[in-house]
Amino acid sequence: MNHTCRIELDGRSYELPVVEGTENERAVDISSLRSHTGYITLDDGYGNTGSCTSAITYIDGEQGILRYRGIPIEDLAEQSSFVEAAWLVIFGHLPTSTDRERFSALLTANSQLPQSMLKHFDAFPPHAHPMAILSAMINTLSCHEPPQAEITDDAGLERAAARLMSKVRTIAAASYKASIGEPVVYPRYDYRYAENFLHMMFSLPFKEHEVTPEAAKALNLFLLLHADHEQNCSTSTVRMVASSQANLFASCAAGVCALWGPLHGGANVAVIEMLQHIHDSGVNVTDYVKKVKSKNSRTRLMGFGHRVYRNFDPRSRILKKAADELLSTLHVHDPLLDIAQELADAALGDDYFIERKLYPNVDFYSGTILRAIGIPVNMFTVMFAIGRMPGWIANWKEIHDDPSTRIYRPRQVYTGNTLTEFVPRTER
Ligand code: CMC
């Protein structure tokens, strides 16, 4: 295969190297283009830009493939757990039983928040968005952390990752408790990751919540499926911040903010709001789809479409199956799941969606699972953030470990005023 690319600019020919990934994905390395030609490349929204090479997650959007460190998501969903998948994503290979036990013990040992941090929750107004609290509290956590210099090897990173992953879960539950005016519930040392979260969310000081195995299993799966997804908006943000040599906590706090928006992690809230709106207003699914397709409408079919997947998002298939199973085990009928299915059927048979290759994404069915286990809608994106933490940590590690990392600093094509004279105030 040809390992260079020839381009012609202003009548001159240049050769650029071609980089090939382990799954044969090819990229033209344009890093020397400007110094040789004076040109930069322009790629609005980075739709065709590889911002880095990475060995963490592989996606084939045409075929609907997702693998963490080479392992298919379907196999992990079937046979692994969130904590095991998190370790895999961060450290690059499946943990041995010793690794797993050590990491689980670290997660348990780090589940408590510093006492002084608990006071911060009182300072947020009751209606504060949990994503704002989460990002602020992750940054606050960095004030209580040993200096970044401690992360000099995998053991140091493992300790920091456990502190972050464990405390993020406690912060999330505590922010929910604060928002409903209930006292913060302390973690339990005998519970595993997902169980402990459900305990902190739903127990009361005078009444222990009974965590069911079905709820713990469903939450575990939800978190595992969100653990990483290569260079999406929030992960790219984490890498961007990390490239300035900012610490792990600051970088992940920035990731939370990027995830918040409805086109990204916030879509799981937008989907439920859309389904609820259709349910409550009684609007016909066909009419809703018509509205989505209208050129003048800004309404989108939330939970549909993806920048990379031009086929089913494999996570949505797994989540749909899990949602059906969970609801049947709990003997719950969720009318919103019926509406979701009607919408999916209408969209998948419609030329607008077929031509644009728009399929259900991870957020289309995830809300049904979260609703079934009692998670309030305003916490949905926080749940996504808890799940995505391993991916952000792994991407931070790639940046941190690579001695050739340069600060991320894109260029632009300036379209503003040309040289403009300053007019003194009295003459304006
Ligand atoms: N409903 C209706 N039309 C859509 C949708 C949708 N959900 N998504 C894309 N389109 C249309 C869009 O209007 C455009 O049409 P046209 O060519 O006529 O202008 C075409 O499809 C291409 O859309 P785009 O906005 O250029 O695509 P993108 O790659 O920039 O956006 C996306 C990807 C995920 C932001 C978008 O599909 C979307 O807004 N989906 C709904 C929000 C959502 O579910 N987000 C979660 C994404 S998955 C999890 C995550 O990333 O966190």
Side-chain angles (χ1 to χ4, degrees):
M1 103 129 242
N2 183 7
H3 286 280
T4 55
C5 157
R6 189 178 300 279
I7 60 161
E8 215 161 275
L9 285 169
D10 301 331
R12 279 191 63 190
S13 173
Y14 302 89
E15 281 208 348
L16 295 169
V18 168
V19 178
E20 188 165 337
T22 48
E23 292 286 348
N24 307 324
E25 192 161 48
R26 278 171 243 163
V28 180
D29 179 350
I30 52 95
S31 46
S32 64
L33 185 69
R34 187 171 180 276
S35 57
H36 288 132
T37 67
Y39 281 77
I40 61 168
T41 54
L42 181 63
D43 181 19
D44 187 30
Y46 306 132
N48 199 47
T49 292
S51 61
C52 59
T53 57
S54 175
I56 304 167
T57 288
Y58 173 66
I59 300 177
D60 181 328
E62 273 69 37
Q63 295 191 60
I65 290 174
L66 168 61
R67 299 180 195 144
Y68 297 161
R69 301 290 187 177
I71 303 180
I73 195 68
E74 293 79 6
D75 294 350
L76 290 164
E78 190 72 35
Q79 300 174 54
S80 190
S81 68
F82 172 60
V83 168
E84 183 170 75
W87 204 93
L88 164 74
V89 165
I90 297 170
F91 294 105
H93 54 91
L94 284 168
T96 61
S97 50
T98 315
D99 295 330
R100 211 181 42 238
E101 277 158 29
R102 187 185 59 249
F103 192 51
S104 290
L106 279 171
L107 286 167
T108 304
N110 283 288
S111 50
Q112 184 65 288
L113 292 178
Q115 198 59 26
S116 61
M117 264 186 79
L118 293 176
K119 295 200 186 91
H120 291 282
F121 288 104
D122 298 334
F124 292 105
H127 57 269
H129 197 289
M131 287 296 272
I133 300 181
L134 185 66
S135 176
M137 292 301 262
I138 293 174
N139 254 327
T140 309
L141 203 52
S142 70
C143 309
H144 295 262
E145 280 297 302
Q148 164 130 338
E150 205 203 58
I151 309 180
T152 52
D153 56 12
D154 279 1
L157 180 71
E158 189 181 49
R159 288 193 295 275
R163 283 198 293 274
L164 182 53
M165 282 177 55
S166 191
K167 286 183 167 45
V168 155
R169 168 190 57 171
T170 309
I171 290 169
S175 69
Y176 170 63
K177 286 294 194 188
S179 75
I180 56 169
E182 283 184 7
V184 167
V185 172
Y186 289 133
R188 269 180 52 166
Y189 265 53
D190 56 336
Y191 272 160
R192 316 287 292 186
Y193 195 90
E195 290 168 313
N196 221 345
F197 175 74
L198 294 168
H199 156 71
M200 287 188 279
M201 280 287 287
F202 302 123
S203 287
L204 288 164
F206 55 88
K207 190 166 180 284
E208 184 80 8
H209 171 76
E210 191 195 330
V211 179
T212 65
E214 292 83 13
K217 183 177 167 212
L219 179 56
N220 219 321
L221 178 71
F222 171 91
L223 295 173
L224 182 149
L225 292 176
H226 286 77
D228 194 40
H229 211 238
E230 55 119 301
Q231 304 313 316
N232 53 79
C233 177
S234 55
T235 304
S236 300
T237 301
V238 170
R239 287 186 85 110
M240 171 75 80
V241 178
S243 77
S244 75
Q245 298 184 355
N247 71 61
L248 175 66
F249 292 76
S251 305
C252 291
V256 171
C257 295
L259 187 71
W260 191 348
L263 296 189
H264 191 13
N268 58 12
V269 173
V271 169
I272 287 293
E273 286 173 349
M274 172 187 75
L275 298 175
Q276 194 72 55
H277 162 74
I278 295 173
H279 178 264
D280 296 349
S281 66
V283 61
N284 180 300
V285 160
T286 320
D287 289 343
Y288 195 81
V289 170
K290 217 179 266 170
K291 182 171 156 195
V292 163
K293 294 190 302 179
S294 153
K295 267 274 165 239
N296 303 323
S297 152
R298 292 180 65 103
T299 309
R300 288 201 158 188
L301 186 52
M302 300 311 284
F304 251 71
H306 197 275
R307 175 62 64 79
V308 181
Y309 292 120
R310 294 309 189 200
N311 200 323
F312 260 89
D313 177 338
R315 301 167 299 175
S316 78
R317 282 189 201 276
I318 299 170
L319 282 167
K320 168 70 172 70
K321 186 163 166 275
D324 286 339
E325 281 169 13
L326 180 66
L327 295 187
S328 127
T329 315
L330 300 178
H331 304 292
V332 170
H333 172 242
D334 186 346
L336 299 195
L337 185 57
D338 295 343
I339 295 174
Q341 202 43 52
E342 261 188 83
L343 273 174
D345 292 342
L348 292 170
D350 190 301
D351 282 348
Y352 175 95
F353 294 89
I354 295 169
E355 280 159 17
R356 290 169 179 75
K357 300 191 171 145
L358 303 170
Y359 290 86
N361 61 48
V362 68
D363 296 311
F364 198 65
Y365 297 112
S366 64
T368 317
I369 292 194
L370 295 178
R371 263 162 70 90
I373 60 177
I375 307 290
V377 175
N378 70 346
M379 288 289 290
F380 282 12
T381 314
V382 169
M383 305 306 297
F384 192 149
I386 299 174
R388 185 53 54 86
M389 218 43 78
W392 291 343
I393 296 168
N395 276 275
W396 183 90
K397 174 174 157 54
E398 267 191 351
I399 293 265
H400 179 259
D401 288 355
D402 183 355
S404 68
T405 292
R406 300 169 74 201
I407 191 163
Y408 281 22
R409 201 327 185 164
R411 289 184 179 263
Q412 64 168 12
V413 175
Y414 176 69
T415 58
N417 291 341
T418 53
L419 182 63
T420 304
E421 193 186 334
F422 178 81
V423 181
R425 266 183 219 168
T426 51
E427 292 171 29
R428 281 177 229 161

